[in-house]
Every structure is written in structure tokens, then in C-alpha cells.
Amino acid sequence: MIPGHVAIIMDGNGRWAKKKSLPRIFGHKQGVKTIKEIVKAANDIGVKVLSLYAFSTENWKRPQSEIKSLFSLIRQFIRKELRELNDLGVKLRILGDLSKFPENVKFEIKDACIITSQNTKFELNIALNYGARQEIIRAFEIMTKQGIKKLTEEVVSSFLYTCGQPDPDLLIRTSGELRVSNFLLWQIAYSEIYVTDKLWPDFTKDDLKIAIVAFQKRRRRFGGL
Ligand code: FPP
């Protein structure tokens, strides 16, 4: 079975650059190249939803210069890739709170979401200023405001950024760390976790296939026998 939803914690851009004695931004630039390759590969393989953790609520602690470079890379990515993503039938969704983002970045991102909103072949979720705990609190705030009394798992799911999408079947983390780092905590309740030592800029479509084969060998019991 091909996992319908794959979520990826893209880690190791900084280490990749350090290994090459380059500034960290070069690692992020290379990371964007990997994003392009993996989006296409996931789509070709038959994955339906791909969630990428690009900027966490904790990433604001990084130096201003790095944050600025990340914004600029995100903008460039959307500018350069929008047409191709649209042609591939990709629908873009942002997970997270864009309100703190610079106006020009926000505009570009929102525009891309509107342009691709009718696409149905593949959904690309990009997590930006995202934190799962914040996402869950936000969901409960909205439910409280709306006076929702009957809480079920389906109701809570429907107030998360991923509403309407299946939960991730597979969560991949690159560069070896054994943590989920506040990513999709509610949604990954039953996800299979695959960690590779490869740094994100070195992660290839073959590595994605290897992760999917490993996933296919797991027996998912969802708490049953
Ligand atoms: C992790 O590496 C990477 C990130 C926090 C940023 C990922 C973002 C991009 C690849 C840039 C643009 C995004 C899009 C959606 C086009 P790290 O810096 O934490 O690496 P380290 O742990 O080795 O320092």
C-alpha cells in the first residue's frame, strides 16, 4: 500500500552546510532543491498528501538574517514553482499562523493557495510558523467560541489546519534525531515513524522510496492484534 499522506520533518540543512564549510543559507538553498524533487517524486509514486515542516513557531529564535533568508527562499520557491505545481495538479495549503509573516510573503503565499485551490491530484501542505500544540489550542478556542459542546475526534480534527485530509500514514525525519518536534501531534497518533541519518539536502527520491518500502513492511495494528 502506498501511504496516502506522508509528513516530513526536513532537518539537517545547517549541518549539511557546515560539513561543506558554507554559510547555513546554502544548506537551506539546497534544501529547496530537495523539496522540488520530493514533491514530484511523491506525486509520481501516488502519495496524495505531502506535509513539509518548513518553519516552526520556535524558529523565530534563529538569527534575523537566517529568518530573512528563509522567507526569501519561500517566496522564490512559490514564484518559480507555482506554474509547474499548478500544472501537476498540486493544491497548496499552509499549516500555521501566517499573521506574523511579512506582508509580501503572506501575499505571495495566499495568492498561490487561491490559484491552486481547485486542484485535486495532490495536496502539498507547508507548515509555516507552525506548532502542533498551538494548532490544538487554536482548534479548542474556535470550538469554544462556536459553542461546540459535543467533542469527538472527528470534530477536533475538523478544526485543525489539516481538516478534511487523512492523517499521515508515514512520518519521515531526516538527519537522525529521534523527536517529533511539535509537528502534527494530533494527526500522527498512529503514523509509522521513519528516521534516516541522511541530511535533508542529501535526501533523494530513492530515499523516499526506501522509506516507503520500510513503511510497507510494517504491520499497522492501530491498537488491535
Ligand atoms: C532544518 O534544517 C530546516 C529548516 C528548519 C528549514 C526548512 C526550510 C527550507 C528548506 C527553506 C524553504 C522552504 C520552502 C517551503 C520553500 P536546520 O537548519 O534545522 O538544520 P540543522 O539542524 O542541521 O542546523
Side-chain angles (χ1 to χ4, degrees):
M1 173 218 167
I2 300 294
H5 184 170
V6 176
I8 308 185
I9 301 175
M10 311 179 287
D11 198 11
N13 293 350
R15 273 163 278 176
W16 183 91
K18 195 169 179 211
K19 261 175 51 184
K20 297 190 153 33
S21 309
L22 293 167
R24 291 176 57 82
I25 183 65
F26 282 83
H28 295 315
K29 275 193 183 151
Q30 197 61 34
V32 175
K33 288 191 185 154
T34 304
I35 291 179
K36 289 184 206 164
E37 176 175 343
I38 295 306
V39 170
K40 284 190 200 119
N43 187 17
D44 289 344
I45 291 168
V47 170
K48 292 288 166 207
V49 186
L50 179 68
S51 294
L52 301 176
Y53 203 2
F55 194 93
S56 77
T57 46
E58 285 70 39
N59 287 152
W60 294 106
K61 294 178 201 148
R62 295 190 176 202
Q64 267 304 314
S65 58
E66 183 170 341
I67 295 176
K68 265 182 104 175
S69 307
L70 282 170
F71 287 158
S72 143
L73 282 177
I74 292 163
R75 239 180 115 204
Q76 271 176 37
F77 171 78
I78 291 185
R79 280 227 181 124
K80 283 200 194 146
E81 305 305 318
L82 182 60
R83 179 178 292 179
E84 196 176 342
L85 292 174
N86 204 21
D87 289 347
L88 288 172
V90 175
K91 179 177 180 169
L92 183 67
R93 185 188 299 210
I94 300 301
L95 316 181
D97 176 12
L98 284 185
S99 63
K100 273 173 83 185
F101 274 49
E103 283 305 322
N104 56 355
V105 183
K106 245 189 318 203
F107 176 80
E108 207 101 33
I109 294 171
K110 286 190 176 160
D111 200 40
C113 290
I114 295 169
I115 290 170
T116 61
S117 63
Q118 300 304 314
N119 293 338
T120 53
K121 183 157 189 294
F122 184 86
E123 295 195 58
L124 174 62
N125 294 339
I126 302 186
L128 292 174
N129 191 22
Y130 174 87
R133 289 184 171 182
Q134 290 84 339
E135 176 187 35
I136 293 168
I137 292 172
R138 173 183 170 272
F140 278 88
E141 277 171 355
I142 304 172
M143 288 187 286
T144 308
K145 266 197 200 132
Q146 296 191 2
I148 293 170
K149 296 262 161 24
K150 176 103 185 80
L151 293 183
T152 63
E153 292 185 10
E154 289 71 27
V155 170
V156 175
S157 295
S158 74
F159 285 94
L160 300 177
Y161 293 119
T162 48
C163 86
Q165 295 178 331
D167 287 337
D169 302 288
L170 172 62
L171 171 69
I172 298 174
R173 180 167 188 144
T174 58
S175 65
E177 235 83 62
L178 303 175
R179 287 193 287 275
V180 291
S181 298
N182 205 15
F183 192 40
L184 303 174
L185 295 183
W186 174 279
Q187 298 90 331
I188 61 165
Y190 289 101
S191 305
E192 293 294 329
I193 300 180
Y194 176 89
V195 177
T196 169
D197 283 334
K198 278 264 178 110
L199 305 173
W200 178 249
D202 290 328
F203 192 80
T204 64
K205 58 175 186 279
D206 288 332
D207 293 313
L208 177 67
K209 286 181 191 155
I210 291 169
I212 291 178
V213 169
F215 162 82
Q216 289 168 332
K217 290 189 181 142
R218 310 256 181 104
R219 284 181 58 226
R220 301 179 81 196
R221 294 196 297 272
F222 297 96
L225 296 179

